[in-house]
Amino acid sequence: MKLWDNGTRVNEQPGPDVNHPGVAQAGVVTEVKGTDSEGHNYLAASSLLQVSLTFDAAQSLFTCTISNISAGTANETPFSGGVFVVSNLLDGDLVMDKPFFSVDQKSGVELTKLAEAGNVDPLKSLVADQTGIITTLHGAIVVVYTGNTNPIYQLGQKDAQLGLAALAQRGDPAQ
């Protein structure tokens, strides 16, 4: 997790007296590594927010929890909603490797609305059609069995070398 400055406002000393939205500037997106471009000190993002990711195998469901742990720190801050992206690999490359911004480039209008006013809708709309989970379903295998033990795979066990890995990873039903 990292802390970023979208470069659209002159940063003020962090704290409850910050004047929002502040003085406009034509800066670029930069990572804040302890101090910002005006010399103000910031804790690491991991000291302000905590992220956990869990997976429920039975439901095939990921849960991402973001907690604001900034209370009592030098950079105590409110936390507004955000936008996330699930991108896919195509020939080993991320389909959308910079969905929100590029370092050292001007911030887009959509990111600026999130950064300055907490408005997630414009950024969500921008990335919605370009991201998501893409899966290809292969109708290559049907398993009929009796009992409680699946003969092809067991949760938590290594692949039995019966062709399931080849099918799942390469779409190859030949094994």
Side-chain angles (χ1 to χ4, degrees), residues 50-157:
Q50 183 177 48
V51 179
S52 67
L53 183 65
T54 59
F55 179 66
D56 181 336
Q59 295 186 40
S60 190
L61 179 71
F62 285 95
T63 301
C64 179
T65 304
I66 304 173
S67 303
N68 184 343
I69 58 171
S70 69
T73 69
N75 299 129
E76 189 168 339
T77 184
F79 176 59
S80 63
V83 175
F84 71 91
V85 169
V86 175
S87 193
N88 296 285
L89 292 175
L90 181 62
D91 294 327
D93 296 319
L94 279 173
V95 172
M96 191 173 192
D97 64 340
K98 296 177 181 138
F100 300 122
F101 62 86
S102 294
V103 178
D104 296 327
Q105 300 294 315
K106 290 196 177 293
S107 174
V109 172
E110 299 85 0
L111 180 60
T112 298
K113 290 187 182 214
L114 174 60
E116 293 182 1
N119 184 353
V120 301
D121 293 331
L123 190 57
K124 179 181 173 188
S125 295
L126 175 71
V127 300
D129 292 335
Q130 304 169 42
T131 65
I133 298 172
I134 298 172
T135 183
T136 304
L137 299 177
H138 294 277
I141 185 171
V142 175
V143 178
V144 178
Y145 63 95
T146 59
N148 294 327
T149 304
N150 184 321
I152 302 297
Y153 77 94
Q154 296 293 313
L155 274 177
Q157 301 296 314

